[in-house]
Each structure stands twice: as C-alpha cells, then as structure tokens.
Amino acid sequence: MNTFFKMLLFFITISGFAQSKKPNIIFIMTDDHATNAISSYGSVFNETPNIDRIANEGIRFNNTYVTNSICAPSRAAILTGKLSHVNGVKGNIDIFDGSQVTFPKLLKSAGYQTAIIGKWHLASNPTGFDYWSVLPGQGDYYNPDFIEMGVTHREQGYVTDLITDKALSWISSIDKEKPFCLIYQQKAPHRNWMPALRHLALYDDVKFPLPESLFDDYSNRGKAAKEQEMEIENHLYDLWDLKLGSPQELEEGLANINLNETTNPEELKEKDIIEANDKTQDLNKFLKVYKRLTPEQRKLWNKAYAKRQLEFRTLNLKGKALVEWKYQQYMKDYLACIASVDENIGRLFDYLETENILDDTMIVYTSDQGFFLGEHGWFDKRFMYEESYQMPLVIRYPKKIKAGIKSSALSMNIDFGPTILDIAGVEVPVEMQGKSLKPIFENDGKTPDNWRKATYYHYYDYPSWHSVKRHYGIRTNDFKLIHFYNDIDEWELYDMNKDPKEMINVYGKKEYKKIQKELKNILTDVQKKYGEVQCK
C-alpha cells in the first residue's frame, strides 16, 4: 500500500473515531435558583452572562417543571427518572435507596468516567460514581466540610469556588481518551444566602423592583396560601436570614453558647418547628455558620453588614415599609450568591476551551426547583405556583443542538436522565418515567406532535417546615389544576393565559366548568400512567 492510501486510511479511521466518540457530559445544578434571577430568562434583577452563554449557544426550555419542589425529592427524581412515590424520596428526611438504577450508573456501565461533586443531600452515600466529594446535608457556605469517598474533612474557602476547584481538578485527572460525566452541584443560592466575601457589597447601592404581589392578601385563594409559613414579613429570621446580629452580640454568643445542634433549620424535627421563631434558636443557628469564619473573614463580614444593621436600628420601620426593606436585604444576599455561581461557570468554560473539549461536551444547567422572590409575599418554594414550580433548563451541545433555539414543550425533571442517556447513546430503561428531550433538539425546539399535554406535580411534606399543605396537580399549556388534600379538601384552577401571576382561583366558576372537567380527566389519566392513586 503506497503512502497516499495509508494516509487516506488513517484519516478515515480518525474521522470515524471522532464521529463515534461519546459526548462528555457536565450536569450543573444549583439549589433554589429561580428563572426570574437569570438574565436569559428575562431577569430584571441581575446579569448571568455565563449561564446565558449556555442558553445562547444552545437551547432554552421555557416550560420545565419540578415534580416535587423540595431539595432531596427533586434530586432523587433527576437521578432515577422516576417520581417521588416510585423512587422513595417524598421529603427531605427520606433516605435515598442507592441500589436503584440511576443515569450515572448506566453511563458508568457504558464506559463513562463518573463523578459527583458538591451538594448531594440524599442522606445515603453516592453510588455509581468513580469519584465523589459531597457536602454533608445542606453543607456550609464558608470553610465547608466535604465527605470525599467516605472521609470527612474541612477545606478553607468559599463553597462555590471550592466545588468548582474540585470539578476542574477531577476533569484534569481522568483518562482523556474516555468520555466522562460530571454531576457538578452547587449549594448556592440556598437559604441562608451567604455570599462570597468578594460579593458582600455587590448590591449595596441597588434598589430592586418590588413584585406586584408582594402584599398579596390571598383573597382569591384557599387555606393553603393563607396558612403557610414562608412570608418575608413574618418568617425571615433577623440573624439567620437578614444578618442583623451585631459583632458584639455574635462574639458574646460564641463565648456562651453550645453549638452542637443542627445547623440548618430545615433539618429540625417536626416537634421543634413550633419553636423555630425563637430568638435564641435564631442566634444558635447563625452562630453555627458564623463560627466557621476565620477572624480575618469575620472582620470583612462585620464591616460589610454594619451599614444594614445601622439602618435597621435607626430607621425603625413598620408595616409595609419594613416588609419592603426586608425584601431588599433578602434579594441582595440571594443574588450575590448567584454571582459566584455564574463566575464559576465562566471558569468552567475557560478550562474546557483551554483543553479543547468544549464542543465535545454537553453542558446542562438547571436548578433543583424554582424559588419565590417576593411573589405573593413569599420566599422558599414547595407550592405548585409558577415561581416555585418552574425550573431553569438550558443545554449546550453544538453537535446536536443549534444555537439560540427556544422550546415551549412541557418538560419535567424526570426527563433529564433519559435525555442524557439518549444523547450518550445509552438505552433508557423502561422503568424511567421521564422522556428524552432529544426529539425536541432535533426539531429545532418545536414541540413534537406526540408530546405530553400536561406535567404532573405532587408535594407530600406536610406537616413540616413552612407549613405548605400537601397537594398534587397538572399544568397544561393553558391551565393549572391543583388539589390540596390531607387536612383540607380544596381545588384551585388557574387560567395561565389570562392570569399568569395566579392571583384568581377560577375553580367552580360557570365559564370554566367544561375545562375543569377535562382537566380532572387528564389528571386521572396522568396519575394512572405514573402509577399513583388520587389522594384525599
């Protein structure tokens, strides 16, 4: 064989290898990141250029929804592609059964190198990963502990930066000839919203627009909206949330208090919830995280929050003025946490470009659920209302996804695993209840003719933290039907075209009786499909 044909055969072989090589996968998930705080989704609050880059160079899904809006259940649903009643994690106190089939396990069996780094929050140890380094429980923002392959140790620094350091270190250490799947999960911007030291003053001079429904009186809703405990007015803690503890108060507290209690209020047992607004408990909780700061870090922290504390003492605000002031402080800290997330995604982009593997890598960005940013006067999530229910989902993979496309197809977090498996060329198990989104990529974002007509939701965690009642429901393109049950029996129906802010419950109104009946039939069909009985 002459030299020409040898070279031709070489290039044909190389070309065939390049086409058959499976994509790398980086699944990025933050905690409680509302779409309203992402500029590519139209945020009026902040800019997120690196998250936007994923959307601008790939696809943005506008109708992606969580199946159970709380941390652990969402994570279990994503890993397994199955709903809460099937995967066994209905609330944050449930322990994830690691023997279940998950999409990382299937990728590993198909030759992928796998890792999970960052927030895990599923009680059991991760399984199906070559490497894992995760935060215990909710984790801490400053100088956090990590459980690395079963061994716990503390690291100095800010959690968002450290998780990214670990992610880049792992990618740099693996076999470059084999594909990898990295589950890269940030703690931010989870409560209690403690920004990186470099961002403590980021929004000091910014006044954010108020949500139209900040002073919602729930007059057109039932008991569930009225009896929750997640109001900015009444349920934000002075120290834990608003950072109003003076340096003297905090230093005296450190000298006198027993800090061997749980750090995170959401992990309190049910019997403790009655006392959750107690000032001593507020101080104790905050001291647990404040103690982690070094003396040098505390100086920067105290200096940054001195202005806020002085304002609180001198203005002596009451009523709506106080609520507006609390809202502004909440938003400053929440958005400052997101700033570090976006910066670190920029670091990831830089690394992938330097290594020349960016376009060989499918990058997924999402959050474990949405979050209320003052809408209806609330913070937190849990409700099936849109701000809590909707998840961001942007995906970049130029070999399969055109740049700048948008999709209104109804998607759920149980679809993430099947999508990743499908793109990787790995068979999706029949027991996974989600659907691959690949047909939507191939259709330039348009909804396929045979696509689902409704998403499904079920929240179980009551009585518990924030007192959001149990409920389930469906959302179509045009309507949302919700049933609150257990200690009440109330239905809500929203016309999402006429009332996108969900201010008026039209259930039982004469003009909606026909669609109400149709939606109940769809709900029954969906529950049968997913193997769940209607709860009362």
Side-chain angles (χ1 to χ4, degrees):
M1 185 181 294
N2 63 35
T3 303
F4 171 77
F5 284 108
K6 286 182 179 179
M7 292 296 292
L8 181 61
L9 181 61
F10 172 77
F11 282 116
I12 290 173
T13 303
I14 292 297
S15 175
F17 173 76
Q19 291 177 3
S20 64
K21 189 174 187 295
K22 293 180 181 293
N24 303 316
I25 295 157
I26 299 179
F27 180 82
I28 309 170
M29 186 161 72
T30 44
D31 196 312
D32 296 342
H33 191 178
T35 56
N36 288 350
I38 300 175
S39 42
S40 58
Y41 277 94
S43 173
V44 298
F45 304 119
N46 63 333
E47 296 292 330
T48 51
N50 294 297
I51 298 172
D52 294 352
R53 180 178 176 184
I54 303 173
N56 295 337
E57 297 177 5
I59 185 170
R60 186 186 82 199
F61 285 85
N62 293 330
N63 288 316
T64 297
Y65 296 99
V66 67
T67 50
N68 184 353
S69 187
I70 186 173
C71 298
S74 178
R75 292 161 194 274
I78 289 168
L79 285 170
T80 63
K82 298 182 289 189
L83 295 168
S84 298
H85 70 283
V86 180
N87 67 50
V89 181
K90 294 182 176 181
N92 277 345
I93 63 172
D94 294 324
I95 299 173
F96 179 67
D97 176 4
S99 68
Q100 295 183 77
V101 173
T102 63
F103 79 84
K105 286 183 182 179
L106 295 171
L107 291 174
K108 182 174 167 60
S109 296
Y112 272 77
Q113 302 165 96
T114 59
I116 181 165
I117 297 170
K119 183 169 178 179
W120 172 245
H121 199 215
L122 285 171
S124 58
N125 285 337
T127 57
F129 298 97
D130 296 309
Y131 171 80
W132 52 275
S133 183
V134 299
L135 301 170
Q138 295 282 7
D140 286 282
Y141 276 107
Y142 296 104
N143 307 323
D145 294 336
F146 283 88
I147 309 173
E148 185 165 347
M149 304 296 283
V151 178
T152 303
H153 63 280
R154 185 165 299 185
E155 298 199 15
Q156 294 296 305
Y158 186 64
V159 68
T160 309
D161 302 333
L162 291 171
I163 290 170
T164 306
D165 292 345
K166 288 175 173 289
L168 300 183
S169 176
W170 180 77
I171 297 173
S172 69
S173 72
I174 58 179
D175 186 345
K176 301 301 185 293
E177 299 303 315
K178 296 180 181 179
F180 67 84
C181 174
L182 170 64
I183 313 297
Y184 163 52
Q185 301 188 151
Q186 296 289 6
K187 171 183 172 63
H190 192 278
R191 192 182 184 189
N192 66 336
W193 317 299
M194 298 180 77
L197 294 172
R198 63 184 179 276
H199 292 142
L200 288 176
L202 184 62
Y203 293 106
D204 268 6
D205 299 321
V206 177
K207 187 171 183 179
F208 300 106
L210 301 179
E212 293 176 21
S213 59
L214 180 62
F215 298 106
D216 190 353
D217 62 4
Y218 320 117
S219 56
N220 292 299
R221 264 63 45 81
K223 289 183 179 180
K226 297 179 178 73
E227 295 179 6
Q228 45 59 45
E229 294 179 357
M230 44 193 272
E231 295 166 7
I232 289 173
E233 180 176 9
N234 299 312
H235 303 117
L236 285 177
Y237 300 140
D238 287 351
L239 276 71
W240 178 254
D241 296 312
L242 297 171
K243 325 299 191 302
L244 296 178
S246 68
Q248 181 180 357
E249 180 182 10
L250 296 176
E251 292 302 324
E252 288 177 356
L254 286 178
N256 298 316
I257 212 75
N258 179 4
L259 299 178
N260 292 323
E261 299 174 3
T262 182
T263 301
N264 296 289
E266 291 188 15
E267 294 174 358
L268 289 171
K269 294 180 180 178
E270 187 178 319
K271 65 183 177 58
D272 297 320
I273 291 174
I274 298 170
E275 303 174 339
N277 280 317
D278 182 85
K279 291 183 178 180
T280 301
Q281 288 195 26
D282 183 17
L283 175 63
N284 290 1
K285 287 191 290 283
F286 187 73
L287 288 175
K288 288 275 295 214
V289 295
Y290 183 75
K291 185 182 181 182
R292 285 182 169 269
L293 277 69
T294 65
E296 293 76 18
Q297 290 171 332
R298 286 181 205 164
K299 287 180 182 178
L300 294 172
W301 174 275
N302 292 331
K303 181 180 179 182
Y305 285 101
K307 178 183 176 183
R308 179 183 297 186
Q309 293 163 10
L310 179 63
E311 243 182 32
F312 181 70
R313 290 195 303 270
T314 57
L315 292 178
N316 196 28
L317 299 170
K318 305 290 183 184
K320 288 186 176 182
L322 178 58
V323 176
E324 291 183 17
W325 185 86
K326 287 183 177 181
Y327 167 78
Q328 296 294 334
Q329 314 319 311
Y330 158 48
M331 290 295 288
K332 287 174 184 180
D333 290 340
Y334 176 88
L335 294 171
C337 290
I338 291 169
S340 64
V341 168
D342 196 74
E343 281 181 354
N344 278 279
I345 292 175
R347 289 178 61 200
L348 178 67
F349 266 118
D350 290 345
Y351 177 83
L352 297 176
E353 288 179 317
T354 299
E355 295 296 310
N356 199 30
I357 57 173
L358 176 60
D359 288 349
D360 297 323
T361 304
M362 181 168 80
I363 302 175
V364 180
Y365 181 84
T366 189
S367 175
D368 55 355
Q369 59 254 328
F371 212 65
F372 290 105
L373 303 182
E375 299 91 356
H376 308 292
W378 296 334
F379 64 96
D380 208 70
K381 56 260 184 180
R382 301 165 197 269
F383 276 112
M384 197 184 168
Y385 302 132
E386 206 74 354
E387 296 84 4
S388 162
Y389 187 33
Q390 185 186 19
M391 308 169 72
L393 179 64
V394 293
I395 307 175
R396 183 193 188 277
Y397 183 45
K399 293 184 178 181
K400 294 288 184 182
I401 303 171
K402 290 182 181 179
I405 60 177
K406 302 174 182 63
S407 176
S408 59
L410 294 168
S411 51
M412 298 188 285
N413 60 346
I414 55 172
D415 299 333
F416 298 172
T419 302
I420 289 170
L421 293 172
D422 198 7
I423 292 292
V426 178
E427 186 176 354
V428 179
V430 293
E431 61 263 32
M432 285 193 172
Q433 296 173 301
K435 297 179 65 171
S436 171
L437 303 175
K438 184 180 175 184
I440 296 169
F441 305 160
E442 296 171 338
N443 204 26
D444 294 342
K446 299 181 182 68
T447 305
D449 292 338
N450 62 345
W451 198 249
R452 67 168 60 95
K453 304 302 180 186
T455 58
Y456 182 65
Y457 183 81
H458 196 154
Y459 177 80
Y460 305 83
D461 203 27
Y462 177 88
S464 186
W465 194 251
H466 290 303
S467 294
V468 173
K469 296 184 183 297
R470 298 182 196 184
H471 59 291
Y472 58 84
I474 56 168
R475 191 205 196 284
T476 67
N477 285 316
D478 300 315
F479 295 95
K480 184 182 293 182
L481 178 69
I482 308 172
H483 181 215
F484 292 95
Y485 71 97
N486 182 240
D487 63 333
I488 59 173
D489 180 12
E490 294 183 352
W491 290 84
E492 294 183 0
L493 172 62
Y494 295 96
D495 186 329
M496 300 306 295
N497 294 318
K498 294 181 180 179
D499 181 27
K501 304 295 184 184
E502 297 167 294
M503 299 294 289
I504 302 173
N505 174 22
V506 296
Y507 185 86
K509 293 196 174 183
K510 182 179 179 180
E511 61 268 36
Y512 287 95
K513 281 194 174 180
K514 182 179 178 181
I515 187 63
Q516 182 175 302
K517 183 178 179 181
E518 291 174 5
L519 290 169
K520 282 194 171 183
N521 288 336
I522 294 173
L523 173 61
T524 299
D525 290 343
V526 168
Q527 288 182 317
K528 286 180 180 178
K529 174 184 175 181
Y530 291 133
E532 184 166 49
V533 296
Q534 194 170 84
C535 302
K536 296 181 180 179

